[in-house]
Amino acid sequence: MGGHDAEAHPGAPASHHDAAHSAPGAQGRHDLDQALVPAQVFSMGDADGAGNAGDGETPVHEVRLDAFSIDATTVTNAAFARFVAETGHRTESELLGYSAVFHLALRADLDDVVGQPPQTPWWLGVRGADWAHPAGPRSSLDGLAEHPVVQVSWNDALAYCEWAGRRLPTEAEWECASRGGLAGRRYPWGDEWQEGQRCNIWQGRFPAVNTLDDGWLTTAPVREFTPNGYGLWQSVGNVWEWCADWWAEDYYARSPADNPTGPATGEQRSMRGGSYLCHDSYCNRYRNSARASNTADSAAGNVGFRTVALT
């Protein structure tokens, strides 16, 4: 989902909860392994000109962050299922009755397809697609317990955080964690792609032919490939990750230096990291500095999240 390529569903307005502050503790509910990110000053933004016009990856600017812990992986289907079992939470896709599914992943009857946006025809609006049926009503989570939960909106991610005593990362925290201590580098492992697959993105001719060189058409297990220097798995590729911040293209030019939390208001929420649909011909956002956004009530088959807490 590059930039704005998931269906943006009309629906409830974004929550005004201040997602940059930790919710009360909920010991034992959230048991994902943690990566510890030390307090530091780092250079945030696109240092090598690889960014996309309009994504607001510049100017590069120094940011000072307090130490924090971040989930080593995105939140899994198994973890989200525990949250749903305890709370009875119904996701926005369930309440709306449909969500966005990539066309090659569809597991539904054709009469369950209720929309196909002309600007992004590879996305289908599918009745009965939700977190437990990520590719449509004929799909399930069988074999996907350790894959990232998808079909969750920003509001759903926030509800999970409040249950878990966690919060969503700010964009600055997310980028710092993804860099893994490598200053100014394009990817979590450095500047070069090198041989072989380093993350779960599209191979072949987007959006019709995926050669599956990395073994995955859609999501991969959260511990596939190699973690970065802080111990984060798959911060780029696999699924987009919701961040706490409101989105603004021009925010970097006015961002405070200390623990920035994004604009005070906005219309969309920020996302980071790219997804299994990223390809250089279409979306090269599987980079540390890449940015995207969507409305807080939107969900799709390639969007998930991870959580943080101050140490």
Side-chain angles (χ1 to χ4, degrees):
M1 183 177 89
H4 310 274
D5 67 343
E7 287 191 329
H9 301 150
S15 167
H16 294 288
H17 177 87
D18 184 355
H21 292 87
S22 296
Q27 296 300 320
R29 286 177 171 175
H30 181 78
D31 61 359
L32 297 185
D33 289 344
Q34 296 298 296
L36 301 180
V37 180
Q40 62 188 275
V41 175
F42 84 104
S43 294
M44 184 174 181
D46 173 24
D48 63 4
N52 298 285
D55 282 358
E57 295 183 44
T58 56
V60 176
H61 56 291
E62 286 197 343
V63 168
R64 183 179 298 103
L65 293 177
D66 296 330
F68 62 97
S69 69
I70 185 168
D71 296 337
T73 69
T74 49
V75 173
T76 61
N77 284 312
F80 199 79
R82 289 193 295 273
F83 157 64
V84 170
E86 280 199 25
T87 64
H89 178 81
R90 295 192 68 203
T91 61
E92 293 196 274
S93 294
E94 291 171 280
L95 296 173
L96 188 62
Y98 71 96
S99 196
V101 175
F102 181 64
H103 71 115
L104 294 184
L106 181 67
R107 297 294 181 268
D109 296 332
L110 289 182
D111 59 4
D112 286 324
V113 178
V114 296
Q116 186 175 21
Q119 70 275 21
T120 54
W122 47 88
W123 283 113
L124 305 174
V126 179
R127 185 185 297 113
D130 57 49
W131 77 273
H133 308 88
R138 291 186 175 273
S139 66
S140 73
L141 297 181
D142 289 350
L144 301 180
E146 294 304 309
H147 285 236
V149 65
V150 294
Q151 302 292 12
V152 288
S153 69
W154 186 93
N155 294 320
D156 294 325
L158 191 66
Y160 177 96
C161 288
E162 290 172 340
W163 166 80
R166 309 277 295 177
R167 61 176 173 83
L168 291 172
T170 66
E171 277 200 80
E173 288 170 335
W174 189 97
E175 184 171 324
C176 181
S178 183
R179 291 187 177 281
L182 298 179
R185 301 299 177 87
R186 181 179 297 188
Y187 304 115
W189 56 84
D191 284 329
E192 301 301 324
W193 182 253
Q194 301 175 346
E195 294 301 318
Q197 293 299 320
R198 305 299 299 264
C199 60
N200 179 17
I201 58 172
W202 189 271
Q203 304 93 47
R205 181 168 52 85
F206 186 86
V209 179
N210 191 328
T211 59
L212 302 180
D213 291 348
D214 63 10
W216 310 100
L217 175 65
T218 60
T219 60
V222 295
R223 290 182 181 272
E224 195 74 7
F225 306 102
T226 303
N228 74 3
Y230 290 147
L232 270 72
W233 298 78
Q234 296 194 86
S235 57
V236 300
N238 214 23
V239 295
W240 283 100
E241 301 179 21
W242 288 114
C243 288
D245 309 34
W246 288 110
W247 162 265
E249 178 185 335
D250 64 351
Y251 181 66
Y252 284 10
R254 52 191 169 91
S255 171
D258 290 343
N259 296 301
T261 58
T265 61
E267 297 181 354
Q268 300 193 332
R269 293 290 182 174
S270 297
M271 303 184 302
R272 287 302 199 109
S275 84
Y276 57 77
L277 295 183
C278 279
H279 186 267
D280 284 348
S281 69
Y282 156 64
C283 163
N284 72 333
R285 294 181 177 90
Y286 51 99
R287 296 174 290 104
N288 290 323
S289 65
R291 307 176 71 213
S293 65
N294 215 329
T295 56
D297 60 338
S298 292
N302 66 339
V303 182
F305 67 102
R306 69 180 83 208
T307 74
V308 303
L310 293 179
T311 58

